[in-house]
Amino acid sequence: MNTETLLQVRSEFPGLEKKIILSSCSQSAISLDVMNAMDEYKNSLLDEGMSWETWMEKVNRAKERFAKIINCDSSEVAVLSSVSDSISSILHSLDLNKQDVCITEMDFPCVGHAVLAQKHIQDFHVTFIPAENNMIPIENYETHITENTALTCISHVSYYNGFKQNIKDIANIAHKKGSLLLVDAYQSAGAVNIDVKDMDIDILVTGMQKYLLGVPGISFLYVKKELAERLYPTTTGWFGQANPFAFDLKHLDYAHSAQRFNTGTPPVINAYIADAALSFIEEIGMDTIKYHLAKLSSFTIKKAAELGFEIASPLDNNKKGTCTAIYVNNANNIEKQLKQAGFVVSARKDVIRIAPHIYNSEEDIVNCLLQLKELSH
Ligand SMILES: Cc1ncc(COP(=O)(O)O)c(C=O)c1O
C-alpha cells in the first residue's frame, strides 16, 4: 500500500488522531463507517420506533458479507452473540457420549469452559492436545485424535502469540479418523485467508471485535450444510425455526441448514455495525489487507529481534497470523503504561501483543517497540 492510500485509510479511523492503536487481537480501531452505523440504528429507533424489516435486512446483509469472506453460502451461517455461545450451541447439538473431544492447549479458554461444562450432561472424555514451544506440531494431532474422537477443536491463529495452523492438514487427520473439525477463527478472520470449503472445515466460529473491525456482541457460526441438517440444537429459540413469525408455540420446526442454530432476536445494533465494517473490508479488499498485515507481521518480528526482545511468536512468518507477542515482566502493568504514553496494545499472561491492522504503518510499530523498550528496562 503506498503512503497516500495509507494516509487515506488512516483518516477513516478517528481514534488514530489520539493514540497509536495496535490492539486488533483484542479490539481494533473503529472506522467512521462503523460510527455512522451506530447512529443509523439510533436514528431508526428515533425516527421509526420499530422496523423489523430493516433490522432483519441488516442482519442478513452482514451474514452475506461474512459468508463471502469465508467462501460459503449465507444459509450456512447463524448469528449469535459470542464465540462462547456459538461453541456451547454446537456442543449441545452433538451426541458425545462414550466418545472423546480433543481441544488444544493453545485454544482460547472459553473452548475449554464450554467443553468441560458439557460433561455435566454427557459422559465423554476430554483430551488436551499438547503444545511445544508455543506451537502445536502436526504429529500431535496424529497421536491424540483417535477413531473414538467425535470432535476436534482448534484455533486457526492463537490468541496468545499469533501461531497460525495449517487447517487443511489438520482437517485431513481429523476426517481420516472420523472426527468433526471445529475452527475458532476469532484471531484470523479479517486478517488471513479463510476458505471453509477448500480447508474442509465442518464448523467455524468467529466474532467482529478483532480483525473484522467491529465491536463485541455478535458472532458468526458456520456449520457445513450437510452437517447442520443432521443436528438438532437444544439451545434454540424462535429465530432457529423455519418460520419465526408463525408464532407456533406447540411445535418445534427447525430451520434448514445453519439457520437452526439461530436462537432469539439477533443482536441488531451489532448487525448494523457488522454490515458497515464488512462493507469497509470489501471496499479495501481482503487481498490488500492480507498482504499489508503479512508485511507488518514480518517487520515486527525483525524489529523486535533487532531491539533484543524475547519473542513468544513463531519467527517463521508462514506459521504466524498478524499478532506478535513479546515477553515482558508485569505485562498488564506495561499495557497500562503504554496506553498512557499513547500506544494501545494488549497484554495476555506474560506477553504484550502487538497486533496492527490496515491503518497501521511500520513507523507505528517502531515507535511502539521503542517505547516498550524504555518501559521494560
Ligand atoms: C481466539 C478467541 N476465541 C474466543 C474468544 C472469546 O470470544 P467471546 O468473548 O466472543 O466468547 C477470544 C477473545 O479474545 C479469542 O481470541
Side-chain angles (χ1 to χ4, degrees):
M1 205 165 42
N2 63 33
T3 314
E4 199 186 325
T5 317
L6 181 62
L7 286 175
Q8 169 60 32
V9 171
R10 281 170 95 90
S11 70
E12 303 278 333
F13 291 83
L16 299 174
E17 286 162 23
K18 297 186 189 141
K19 292 208 165 13
I20 292 182
I21 300 177
L22 289 161
S23 55
S24 297
C25 56
S26 179
Q27 170 69 66
S28 57
I30 57 163
S31 63
L32 287 168
D33 287 357
V34 160
M35 290 160 66
N36 289 338
M38 292 175 181
D39 282 343
E40 199 187 336
Y41 180 61
K42 183 183 74 186
N43 291 336
S44 99
L45 291 172
L46 288 175
D47 298 341
E48 296 187 72
M50 181 190 77
S51 180
W52 283 96
E53 242 169 65
T54 321
W55 296 345
M56 290 310 119
E57 249 171 52
K58 287 284 181 190
V59 173
N60 286 330
R61 250 208 344 238
K63 206 161 57 175
E64 278 160 20
R65 292 191 199 282
F66 173 73
K68 236 195 268 173
I69 288 185
I70 65 164
N71 187 31
C72 70
D73 191 85
S74 69
S75 67
E76 295 177 296
V77 177
V79 178
L80 287 98
S81 294
S82 70
V83 165
S84 305
D85 288 346
S86 296
I87 295 175
S88 298
S89 273
I90 286 292
L91 290 164
H92 278 299
S93 72
L94 297 174
D95 178 3
L96 304 169
N97 278 305
K98 307 280 178 272
Q99 300 175 78
D100 207 43
V101 172
C102 285
I103 63 183
T104 81
E105 284 185 346
M106 294 193 74
D107 280 326
F108 192 80
C110 72
V111 181
H113 303 151
V115 169
L116 293 172
Q118 191 62 212
K119 277 170 70 72
H120 285 299
I121 49 173
Q122 300 201 59
D123 177 21
F124 60 93
H125 180 261
V126 181
T127 300
F128 289 89
I129 299 177
E132 292 166 29
N133 299 323
N134 294 321
M135 292 186 270
I136 305 165
I138 190 79
E139 304 80 58
N140 290 9
Y141 288 100
E142 279 286 5
T143 310
H144 292 277
I145 303 174
T146 70
E147 268 69 28
N148 202 36
T149 307
L151 175 70
T152 303
C153 303
I154 64 165
S155 275
H156 187 186
V157 169
S158 156
Y159 78 97
Y160 172 69
N161 68 345
F163 166 56
K164 185 175 77 172
Q165 312 212 65
N166 186 326
I167 306 272
K168 244 176 149 167
D169 288 353
I170 301 169
N172 194 14
I173 296 170
H175 292 152
K176 201 173 62 192
K177 305 212 184 186
S179 167
L180 293 172
L181 181 69
L182 181 153
V183 176
D184 176 350
Y186 214 168
Q187 293 290 339
S188 60
V192 301
N193 189 48
I194 301 177
D195 181 330
V196 286
K197 303 294 175 196
D198 181 55
M199 291 172 164
D200 205 8
I201 295 171
D202 300 301
I203 301 153
L204 179 139
V205 288
T206 191
M208 285 297 303
Q209 188 181 10
K210 305 179 196 301
Y211 297 93
L212 289 177
L213 298 173
V215 298
I218 188 165
S219 158
F220 293 112
L221 167 62
Y222 161 80
V223 188
K224 191 161 73 177
K225 184 171 186 296
E226 311 85 81
L227 171 65
E229 301 271 340
R230 286 192 272 126
L231 302 178
Y232 300 95
T234 54
T235 302
T236 189
W238 59 311
F239 277 86
Q241 299 298 296
N243 178 10
F245 295 94
F247 298 106
D248 180 355
L249 168 75
K250 296 191 176 170
H251 298 99
L252 192 56
D253 180 18
Y254 283 115
H256 285 299
S257 198
Q259 299 318 297
R260 61 184 56 197
F261 281 93
N262 293 326
T263 56
T265 307
V268 177
I269 183 167
N270 299 81
Y272 271 71
I273 292 167
D275 180 44
L278 294 171
S279 152
F280 182 88
I281 287 176
E282 264 174 35
E283 253 170 64
I284 300 208
M286 264 314 296
D287 284 346
T288 307
I289 295 174
K290 280 184 299 192
Y291 182 71
H292 184 68
L293 296 190
K295 256 179 76 182
L296 288 182
S297 165
S298 60
F299 178 81
T300 313
I301 290 277
K302 185 171 131 250
K303 217 54 207 171
E306 267 171 37
L307 288 167
F309 285 111
E310 202 187 335
I311 299 165
S313 300
L315 301 182
D316 175 354
N317 215 32
N318 294 318
K319 293 192 173 148
K320 184 175 174 295
T322 309
C323 159
T324 303
I326 294 172
Y327 288 114
V328 290
N329 291 326
N330 302 318
N332 285 322
N333 196 22
I334 295 280
E335 177 193 299
K336 286 193 188 98
Q337 291 182 51
L338 274 171
K339 194 182 264 183
Q340 275 166 7
F343 299 91
V344 184
V345 295
S346 166
R348 284 289 176 270
K349 300 182 196 169
D350 52 357
V351 297
I352 285 289
R353 301 178 299 168
I354 297 184
H357 213 305
I358 189 70
Y359 42 74
N360 289 117
S361 63
E362 291 183 352
E363 198 186 349
D364 290 341
I365 287 161
V366 173
N367 289 338
C368 179
L369 287 173
L370 289 173
Q371 187 69 53
L372 179 59
K373 189 88 197 157
E374 205 174 303
L375 291 171
S376 51
H377 267 299

